[in-house]
């Protein structure tokens, strides 16, 4: 006789808890497969080899389904870690005035590349008042080059 069904349930729960400390969804699927193996071995008595083969088969199936079908369809909502070029064309509002040739601060309604507020300069060197809407035209170091909308 193989492992008892409660052994598979404990293994499954431990693997799912272990998933909390991993950056991917790999252990989650092994844990889910162990839980299903627990239920099947409770309903249909089987030997250890059959239980392990069922667990391995389900683990591979869940991993393939996740990485081939589900994960590619999930849209990423953050652009953090991407180059500064992704912020070009975004519209923000000036919260600290841009003086002639100086810097100001532009704020975006949704954080862009990890920050909601950025240092900015006027593209044409003109002053931009607080509250004006601007469009990002370039990124220069950690500063955005903006023009009035």
């Amino acid at each position: 006789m193989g492992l008892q069904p409660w052994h598979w349930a404990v293994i499954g729960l431990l693997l799912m808890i272990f998933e909390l400390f991993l950056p991917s969804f790999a252990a989650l699927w092994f844990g889910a497969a162990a839980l299903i193996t627990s239920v099947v071995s409770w309903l249909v008595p089987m030997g250890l080899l059959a239980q392990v083969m069922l667990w391995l088969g389900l683990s591979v199936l869940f991993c393939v389904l996740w990485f081939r079908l589900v994960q590619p369809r999930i849209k990423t909502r953050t652009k953090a870690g991407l180059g500064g070029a992704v912020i070009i064309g975004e519209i923000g509002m000036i919260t600290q005035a841009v003086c002639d040739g100086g810097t100001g601060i532009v704020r975006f309604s949704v954080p862009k590349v990890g920050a909601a507020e950025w240092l900015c300069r006027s593209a044409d060197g003109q002053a931009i008042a607080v509250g004006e809407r601007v469009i990002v035209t370039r990124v220069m170091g950690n500063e955005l080059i903006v023009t009035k909308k």
Side-chain angles (χ1 to χ4, degrees), residues 26-138:
L28 180 68
W29 308 123
F30 292 110
L35 288 176
I36 292 174
T37 301
S38 169
V39 172
V40 171
S41 67
W42 178 65
L43 294 172
V44 179
M46 58 180 76
L48 180 61
L49 180 62
Q51 290 175 354
V52 171
M53 294 303 288
L54 176 64
W55 175 71
L56 285 174
L58 288 170
S59 297
V60 169
L61 176 69
F62 290 159
C63 286
V64 167
L65 288 175
W66 172 255
F67 288 108
R68 292 280 171 107
L69 299 178
V70 178
Q71 188 181 32
R73 293 189 176 135
I74 296 174
K75 293 184 180 177
T76 308
R77 295 187 181 179
T78 180
K79 293 183 180 177
L82 299 176
V86 298
I87 202 168
I88 294 174
E90 295 290 337
I91 299 172
M93 185 173 65
I94 299 295
T95 58
Q96 180 180 331
V98 178
C99 299
D100 293 335
T103 62
I105 295 180
V106 61
R107 180 172 180 77
F108 299 99
S109 58
V110 176
K112 306 295 179 194
V113 194
E117 291 187 342
W118 287 78
L119 281 175
C120 66
R121 291 184 183 271
S122 174
D124 54 8
Q126 299 295 318
I128 305 175
V130 172
E132 290 201 53
R133 295 174 58 84
V134 293
I135 298 174
V136 178
T137 57
R138 284 190 343 233

